[in-house]
Amino acid sequence: MKNDVIIAGGGPTGLMLACELALAGVRTRILERRVEPQRDSRALTLHPRSVELLDQRGLLDRFLPLGRAVPGWHFAQLPTRLDFSRLDSRHGYTLFLAQARTEALLAERAAELGVRISRGHEVVGVRQDEDGVEVEVRGPEGVETVRAQYAVGCDGGRSVVRRAAGIGFPGTDETLTGVLGDFAVMDTGPAALDAARAAGVLVAPLEGGVTRLVLVDPERMRVPSAEPVGLAEFRQILLRMCGTDLGVADPRWLSRFGNATRLADSYRAGRLLVAGDAAHIHFPAAGQGLNTGLQDAVNLGWKLAAAVQGWAPPDLLDSYDAERRPVGRGVTENTEIQTLLMELTLVPRYQRPAAALRGLMDELLGQEEVNRTLAGRVSALDTAYRPADPDAGPLAGRPVPDISLTAAGSSATRVYDLLHTARFVHLDLAPGPTPTAGPEPDARVTTALVTGYDDHPDLRGTTEILVRPDGHVAWTTRTTDPTARRTERLTALTRALGRRRPLGACPTR
């Protein structure tokens, strides 16, 4: 068996998952039906938690120079913006970066890690048995069957893997559609853009002088998304909504999209799993889809690697569904709320009460607590997983704070520096001139004997932290007695990692 894991789909989710698996030494192959890399970019944003994940892997320096940091974002296109800058993160901003750029950078990283990316290869069937999976793929030389231990569907809303696994995809069909256009020629003067925004048109400058316009036309919002949109229609919509067609010409991409919303019944069925759009689809409100997929991938990667390598504790792989499906549900629900808040203003019968409702919501967004709550959800910085162990400490399940630190024998200056290899991180924060001895050496754990660190309110009194490879806290303790701490630590390590593996026991690239 040449492949440990087959990934169907080479978009951002599939590429991120491949990188995570490869970091753990798992032989991974991506099967992507497109012959060439993606050129058009439906998504344009990397929200704060996704930016943190890239930072955790030491990749952020590749992305930042190509994007533009925006400190706030919208909720249902209300005037008052969500303020990401006040959240507890080094990265309290959205990175405005085209999806095509994100895919290219992740593909570059995957190639560095030895991932095999087979373009022009479409997955057409999947079967599983007790020992592995067989994936039927149609490529340039015909149909072949490849075998692996597991297969993951990152192949979109019409996922072949999800259907083969028998995983249901309940939800609602589209009832509303919008259109987007990327134009190389248009009137970008302040008066024209102000008129467009006042009419509810989303205006976004892209690379190379191209401008994106996104809108929902009250007279055409029931047209099926399968119906193509042409330049003439786009001009007519703009003229009707804005009083001018903005001089749009030379369209680079025109598309119609809908609000179909669905969530997979389960993210796992035996040796078949789903992530990204194969697990959840929704209206692109607040730009959460791509981000949720990247976060699915980082949650799944280390767990699937543990299963492949035979050290996964019981139920570890099942925790992917237990942790990420509620997140998917939250995203589909909040996008439905945002879509409704926008749609009602376009229906004459509801325009007056809808305007009053939006005014009330906008007023509430002006309150710091409300703004912080919704900003936490859209940014995904509030994502916290329920710990399996009730004694794991109050931080368990939450993202670890990226505090500055110094550690004996280490060049790391922040917690995220220690997560670059996608291993568990054990932080010994106990005060005293000599750090307490850490755990027995294990190939899956990076131990840092911390000699100094920045104050953080959530860490006051904490003596040890065990961080998962995805950057979420697995266990903390405030115990100061060395003997008692060692007992707690060994229990936590056994629960998180199963039996110990000596240094060198895990394959690395």
Side-chain angles (χ1 to χ4, degrees):
M1 191 181 297
K2 296 181 180 179
N3 308 293
D4 295 320
V5 176
I6 293 292
I7 297 174
T13 301
L15 289 165
M16 190 73 183
L17 177 59
C19 290
E20 292 292 292
L21 292 168
L23 276 172
V26 174
R27 297 171 299 179
T28 305
R29 183 181 179 187
I30 293 175
L31 300 174
E32 167 55 51
R33 65 177 178 81
R34 295 173 301 179
V35 176
E36 298 294 334
Q38 181 78 10
R39 292 196 326 166
D40 302 319
S41 297
R42 187 170 294 277
L44 298 174
T45 58
L46 292 172
H47 285 326
R49 184 54 185 160
S50 297
V51 175
E52 287 188 342
L53 295 178
L54 295 172
D55 195 6
Q56 288 176 187
R57 295 299 181 254
L59 299 176
L60 188 55
D61 287 346
R62 306 185 186 199
F63 287 76
L64 279 178
L66 301 178
R68 176 167 54 91
V70 181
W73 204 242
H74 73 89
F75 187 86
Q77 294 190 20
L78 292 168
T80 300
R81 310 289 278 183
L82 300 177
D83 187 358
F84 291 160
S85 68
R86 304 187 70 171
L87 301 177
D88 184 17
S89 174
R90 291 182 186 270
H91 306 294
Y93 55 84
T94 282
L95 186 64
F96 201 80
L97 184 67
Q99 178 178 336
R101 285 283 194 180
T102 296
E103 286 193 18
L105 290 169
L106 290 175
E108 178 184 84
R109 178 57 172 161
E112 292 171 0
L113 294 169
V115 174
R116 183 182 176 189
I117 303 176
S118 300
R119 297 193 178 276
H121 287 69
E122 180 181 7
V123 173
V124 294
V126 185
R127 296 178 295 277
Q128 64 173 317
D129 53 44
E130 292 183 0
D131 301 318
V133 299
E134 289 186 346
V135 178
E136 190 174 354
V137 54
R138 182 185 298 118
E141 298 180 358
V143 177
E144 63 173 318
T145 299
V146 294
R147 190 164 176 83
Q149 292 190 50
Y150 293 89
V152 184
C154 300
D155 48 345
R158 298 180 178 87
S159 171
V160 173
V161 175
R162 187 189 64 242
R163 293 176 180 177
I167 296 173
F169 204 38
T172 56
D173 294 333
E174 69 180 38
T175 59
L176 171 80
T177 59
V179 293
L180 70 80
D182 294 344
F183 298 99
V185 176
M186 66 170 284
D187 183 355
T188 56
L193 296 186
D194 286 346
R197 293 188 177 104
V201 178
L202 189 151
V203 181
L206 305 180
E207 296 179 21
V210 174
T211 302
R212 169 165 295 181
L213 302 178
V214 185
L215 53 92
V216 177
D217 174 18
E219 295 189 15
R220 300 279 292 168
M221 64 183 181
R222 308 303 180 194
V223 174
S225 60
E227 182 175 317
V229 56
L231 178 58
E233 179 187 352
F234 215 105
R235 285 172 170 165
Q236 290 170 0
I237 293 172
L238 288 172
L239 189 61
R240 186 164 53 244
M241 291 180 63
C242 308
T244 170
D245 66 6
L246 302 176
V248 295
D250 193 7
R252 300 300 172 86
W253 186 37
L254 298 172
S255 178
R256 200 184 309 270
F257 57 92
N259 69 333
T261 302
R262 299 185 180 279
L263 178 68
D265 277 337
S266 174
Y267 285 15
R268 180 191 179 197
R271 292 179 175 272
L272 304 178
L273 303 101
V274 292
D277 287 353
H280 40 75
I281 59 170
H282 49 80
F283 199 70
Q288 298 171 85
L290 180 150
N291 290 276
T292 308
L294 293 179
Q295 294 151 31
D296 288 344
V298 176
N299 181 281
L300 175 59
W302 67 277
K303 297 172 180 178
L304 188 53
V308 167
Q309 294 168 346
W311 63 264
D315 302 326
L316 178 63
L317 199 50
D318 284 335
S319 74
Y320 167 60
D321 173 82
E323 292 182 346
R324 291 305 301 173
R325 192 167 176 274
V327 174
R329 182 185 300 112
V331 171
T332 56
E333 289 175 352
N334 90 53
T335 54
E336 286 181 311
I337 291 169
Q338 293 185 70
T339 305
L340 184 61
L341 282 171
M342 293 184 285
E343 180 182 2
L344 288 177
T345 64
L346 305 177
V347 181
R349 177 181 176 184
Y350 298 114
Q351 282 179 343
R352 187 184 61 78
L357 176 60
R358 286 178 64 84
L360 175 61
M361 285 295 301
D362 193 59
E363 182 181 338
L364 291 173
L365 275 180
Q367 299 181 12
E368 182 177 351
E369 184 176 352
V370 175
N371 197 294
R372 180 182 293 271
T373 296
L374 289 180
R377 291 183 184 179
V378 171
S379 68
L381 290 177
D382 73 346
T383 301
Y385 305 131
R386 185 188 300 273
D389 179 6
D391 298 322
L395 281 178
R398 293 166 53 187
V400 65
D402 184 29
I403 54 172
S404 297
L405 54 76
T406 56
S410 172
S411 61
T413 60
R414 299 184 291 133
V415 173
Y416 283 6
D417 292 341
L418 300 166
L419 285 163
H420 288 182
T421 57
R423 295 177 177 175
F424 281 84
V425 172
H426 171 248
L427 300 173
D428 189 333
L429 305 176
T434 304
T436 305
E440 292 295 320
D442 189 298
R444 299 161 295 175
V445 183
T446 298
T447 297
L449 304 179
V450 178
T451 55
Y453 62 95
D454 282 351
D455 178 59
H456 190 287
D458 291 340
L459 300 181
R460 289 169 189 162
T462 300
T463 51
E464 293 189 36
I465 305 175
L466 182 64
V467 185
R468 305 183 340 178
D470 61 1
H472 285 256
V473 175
W475 164 80
T476 65
T477 184
R478 294 173 176 265
T479 301
T480 57
D481 178 72
T483 302
R485 281 173 54 201
R486 184 177 187 278
T487 299
E488 289 183 29
R489 180 193 313 129
L490 291 175
T491 299
L493 287 167
T494 300
R495 185 183 296 275
L497 290 92
R499 60 188 179 86
R500 190 176 71 84
R501 301 192 80 169
L503 292 174
C506 286
T508 56
R509 292 192 179 273

